[in-house]
Amino acid sequence: ETGVTQTPRHLVMGMTNKKSLKCEQHLGHNAMYWYKQSAKKPLELMFVYSLEERVENNSVPSRFSPECPNSSHLFLHLHTLQPEDSALYLCASSQGSASPGADTQYFGPGTRLTVL
Amino acid sequence: AQKITQTQPGMFVQEKEAVTLDCTYDTSDQSYGLFWYKQPSSGEMIFLIYQGSYDEQNATEGRYSLNFQKARKSANLVISASQLGDSAMYFCAMREGRSQGNLIFGKGTKLSVKP
């Protein structure tokens, strides 16, 4: 495997279900990110992890719970979601450098989530 | 106020011709980075090109070049010799120097390449 992988690629869940999204990066990066992409809205940053510590949480509802057990893996645990949470969830990783030029983010293919 | 503005929701270009996708940005930071990403219908965000605020020359990567006009706060993407596979959404993004990892994206431009 190379780059950033995400599983599952598609997920349909009911509002009472609990599911998890998985992201794995094979780039040796130190920072990982979760983004939400809804129809007709710009990409929204949800969570940032640097060296396995959460450094940013952009006022995301508690029904989304991230977990970063090591620098290569990132999870997004989902519970009691709403239909408006249906979106494409993208994971990304980067070196984690303070310099913008050395911190290009590389994205996975995304998980397309539908909440019924 | 929007930090990244992409004014063209959709663009058409004839195969083999060049096309310019517009991006303007707003920041008070002196140090920042500008990125362009391509998103095909499959969903993956593909990094194309980067321009740093202190870079004196416009960035180029193969058929992609960035027309960086700092005083006008614009960072337009130029794709030369368009190919059918270039049809996709294109996003401009900015990272301000003071924010760790926080990429701010524009709303995107949908490019369609006609044969």
Side-chain angles (χ1 to χ4, degrees):
Chain A
E1 292 277 17
T2 58
V4 181
T5 58
Q6 288 187 244
T7 55
R9 294 294 308 276
H10 300 272
L11 178 62
V12 179
M13 59 187 288
M15 290 191 286
T16 58
N17 291 158
K18 289 184 181 181
K19 295 286 185 182
S20 295
L21 309 184
K22 178 183 175 182
C23 175
E24 185 173 359
Q25 60 96 359
H26 310 269
L27 299 169
H29 288 164
N30 294 317
M32 296 187 77
Y33 313 80
W34 278 117
Y35 287 87
K36 176 184 178 183
Q37 187 177 31
S38 306
K40 298 182 181 179
K41 289 177 72 174
L43 221 64
E44 301 171 78
L45 179 66
M46 300 175 73
F47 300 103
V48 180
Y49 275 83
S50 179
L51 296 172
E52 300 140 48
E53 287 191 20
R54 190 190 305 181
V55 297
E56 189 151 343
N57 172 358
N58 283 356
S59 303
V60 178
S62 59
R63 56 186 184 269
F64 295 93
S65 174
E67 179 191 0
C68 187
N70 55 61
S71 59
S72 297
H73 294 87
L74 184 65
F75 295 89
L76 188 62
H77 303 299
L78 316 171
H79 63 97
T80 58
L81 295 192
Q82 305 298 312
E84 59 264 28
D85 296 322
S86 298
L88 180 68
Y89 289 84
L90 289 160
C91 173
S93 71
S94 74
Q95 292 281 8
S97 168
S99 166
D103 203 38
T104 299
Q105 293 184 23
Y106 295 89
F107 286 78
T111 295
R112 194 163 295 279
L113 173 68
T114 303
V115 181
L116 301 175
Chain B
Q2 288 187 53
K3 292 259 185 178
I4 295 287
T5 302
Q6 294 181 255
T7 57
Q8 307 151 315
M11 288 278 287
F12 287 90
V13 64
Q14 201 68 39
E15 194 179 6
K16 299 181 185 177
E17 291 185 350
V19 63
T20 298
L21 306 183
D22 295 342
C23 173
T24 57
Y25 59 93
D26 182 26
T27 181
S28 56
D29 282 10
Q30 296 300 310
S31 173
Y32 52 89
L34 297 157
F35 302 80
W36 277 92
Y37 286 86
K38 172 185 178 181
Q39 188 178 39
S41 56
S42 59
E44 183 178 357
M45 282 285 201
I46 302 167
F47 167 69
L48 295 178
I49 196 167
Y50 166 80
Q51 180 83 44
S53 58
Y54 293 121
D55 295 342
E56 294 187 351
Q57 292 193 325
N58 287 342
T60 60
E61 287 286 350
R63 293 187 299 112
Y64 304 108
S65 60
L66 206 151
N67 184 0
F68 181 46
Q69 298 186 44
K70 194 170 181 177
R72 299 176 66 178
K73 293 190 175 178
S74 75
N76 299 338
L77 177 70
V78 180
I79 305 174
S80 62
S82 297
Q83 301 172 357
L84 295 178
D86 293 335
S87 294
M89 285 291 292
Y90 288 81
F91 292 92
C92 179
M94 175 175 65
R95 184 195 150 181
E96 293 170 304
R98 58 192 159 158
S99 67
Q100 180 173 353
N102 193 353
L103 265 185
I104 304 166
F105 282 82
K107 292 185 178 180
T109 295
K110 184 173 182 180
L111 177 66
S112 300
V113 180
K114 298 187 288 185

